[in-house]
């Protein structure tokens, strides 16, 4: 069979003409590195495809009454702060083409909204964004492409102070204390070590238009190959690597 480079099905016959599996992209990086901004730019440029964004933040566990009392002692940057089983289930369903209900998290009171959910429909591309989306190997292994947004720590802290005081109901002192006590150590212990799993590292986040253009081109190529597979089901492909 002919060989076409660039897709993720290694040496196996490609999909028949059944429904194609969505393309799953993971976007990680430190707090306020520009993950959401990068995702929004990708979604905007992929306007002719159905793309959904899932935030790992939505899967923060709600605090118990006792934890709420000592919220300044709570480490929101540790992997255990997330309900990863629920996140996994959600991505598995989306991969199978099913719609899911994603919890809505409120950063001002550290709780999930108990009544409402955000309905996320099946789509061609699923983007999963969050500080620790590469931490759990089961979540990581569901990704077809992994992006790490790499922004200097001083810029991230400056952005975080602004964002958390304006949007998340915090004061400057509490942001600085939390950063020194939990955010920075957890970045070093849990986030930075997962950078090695990235296929693409984007310096300067949303300012890096060249990187975002290249990523979008790559996704388009992959989606095009899926379509090609439907037309030529006997075509085989080899895996390629992609780095900026
Ligand atoms: P993350 O999702 O990694 O936490 P965001 O994309 O939400 O990061 O960005 C964090 C904050 O920094 C937001 O308030 C956003 O408006 C701001 N921000 C993001 N990218 C830039 C940029 N390139 N220049 C200036 N501000 C930015
Ligand atoms: O959007 P961003 O990636 O910055 O979100 C992750 C950050 O949110 C973590 O660094 C964590 O400290 C913070 N967080 C918080 N309060 C919560 C939940 C998360 O400050 N209730």
């Amino acid at each position: 069979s002919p060989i076409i480079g660039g897709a993720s099905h290694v040496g196996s016959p490609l999909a028949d003409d059944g429904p194609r599996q969505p393309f799953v992209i993971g976007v990680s990086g430190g707090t306020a590195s520009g993950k959401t901004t990068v995702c929004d730019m990708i979604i905007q440029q992929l306007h002719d495809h159905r793309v959904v964004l899932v935030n790992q933040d939505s899967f923060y566990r709600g605090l118990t009454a006792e934890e709420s009392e000592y919220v300044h002692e709570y480490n929101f940057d540790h992997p255990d702060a997330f309900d990863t089983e629920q996140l996994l289930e959600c991505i598995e369903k989306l991969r199978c083409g099913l719609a899911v209900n994603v919890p809505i998290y409120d950063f001002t009171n550290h709780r999930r909204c108990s009544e409402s959910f955000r309905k996320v429909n099946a789509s061609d591309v699923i983007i999963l964004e969050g500080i620790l989306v590469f931490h759990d190997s089961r979540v990581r292994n569901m990704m077809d492409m992994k992006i790490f947004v790499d922004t200097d720590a001083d810029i991230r802290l400056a952005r975080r102070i602004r964002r958390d005081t304006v949007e998340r109901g915090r004061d400057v002192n509490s942001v600085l204390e939390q950063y020194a006590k939990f955010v920075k150590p957890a970045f070093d212990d849990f986030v930075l070590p997962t950078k090695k799993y990235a296929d693409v590292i984007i310096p300067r986040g949303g300012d890096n238009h060249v990187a975002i253009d290249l990523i979008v081109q790559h996704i388009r190529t992959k989606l095009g190959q899926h379509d090609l597979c439907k037309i030529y089901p006997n075509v085989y492909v080899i895996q390629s690597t992609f780095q900026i």
Side-chain angles (χ1 to χ4, degrees):
S1 298
I3 291 179
I4 298 175
S8 55
H9 308 260
V10 185
S12 63
L14 279 171
D16 51 20
D17 39 9
R20 68 182 180 202
Q21 252 204 349
F23 190 75
V24 182
I25 305 170
V27 179
S28 187
T31 179
S33 55
K35 300 181 293 296
T36 309
T37 305
V38 164
C39 293
D40 288 345
M41 291 169 78
I42 293 174
I43 292 168
Q44 215 178 354
Q45 290 195 32
L46 283 175
H47 55 86
D48 50 344
H49 289 281
R50 294 184 307 164
V51 189
V52 289
L53 177 62
V54 177
N55 310 92
Q56 188 182 28
D57 290 349
S58 307
F59 296 88
Y60 266 118
R61 298 176 195 280
L63 299 192
T64 61
E66 200 191 343
E67 286 165 343
S68 295
E69 244 182 87
Y70 301 99
V71 72
H72 299 296
E73 301 297 318
Y74 193 87
N75 188 350
F76 290 102
D77 293 75
H78 191 279
D80 293 348
F82 298 94
D83 186 343
T84 301
E85 300 304 317
Q86 194 186 12
L87 168 70
L88 199 62
E89 199 181 308
C90 163
I91 302 297
E92 266 164 4
K93 278 191 180 160
L94 283 172
R95 274 181 94 208
C96 295
L98 300 168
V100 291
N101 280 330
V102 173
I104 296 172
Y105 187 73
D106 185 343
F107 284 91
T108 57
N109 64 14
H110 321 284
R111 291 221 174 87
R112 286 181 181 189
C113 178
S114 54
E115 300 98 52
S116 42
F117 290 89
R118 180 171 73 99
K119 188 177 179 203
V120 175
N121 288 316
S123 57
D124 302 324
V125 180
I126 300 161
I127 308 183
L128 173 60
E129 167 274 326
I131 51 171
L132 286 166
V133 291
F134 299 161
H135 186 263
D136 187 291
S137 62
R138 297 165 303 168
V139 178
R140 210 168 59 227
N141 291 336
M142 286 197 289
M143 296 169 180
D144 299 293
M145 181 185 200
K146 294 186 270 303
I147 299 170
F148 191 93
V149 182
D150 201 9
T151 303
D152 290 346
D154 53 353
I155 293 176
R156 292 193 292 104
L157 175 57
R159 285 181 188 165
R160 173 138 174 172
I161 293 169
R162 192 174 295 130
R163 181 193 65 193
D164 284 10
T165 52
V166 175
E167 293 170 24
R168 295 188 178 175
R170 315 287 165 89
D171 61 59
V172 175
N173 266 342
S174 79
V175 178
L176 292 176
E177 267 172 32
Q178 185 189 7
Y179 187 85
K181 192 168 178 182
F182 295 120
V183 183
K184 185 179 163 58
F187 176 79
D188 294 337
D189 290 347
F190 304 114
V191 183
L192 199 53
T194 67
K195 187 174 164 180
K196 63 174 178 277
Y197 299 116
D199 303 303
V200 185
I201 294 164
I202 310 186
R204 303 182 308 283
D207 291 336
N208 194 334
H209 292 268
V210 173
I212 289 158
D213 283 354
L214 285 168
I215 287 164
V216 169
Q217 267 182 41
H218 183 74
I219 298 165
R220 285 186 178 286
T221 308
K222 294 289 193 186
L223 291 173
Q225 279 170 358
H226 274 292
D227 290 339
L228 195 69
C229 299
K230 282 188 178 175
I231 306 165
Y232 303 107
N234 294 324
V235 168
Y236 282 69
V237 294
I238 56 168
Q239 186 153 28
S240 70
T241 52
F242 174 61
Q243 293 199 335
I244 294 174

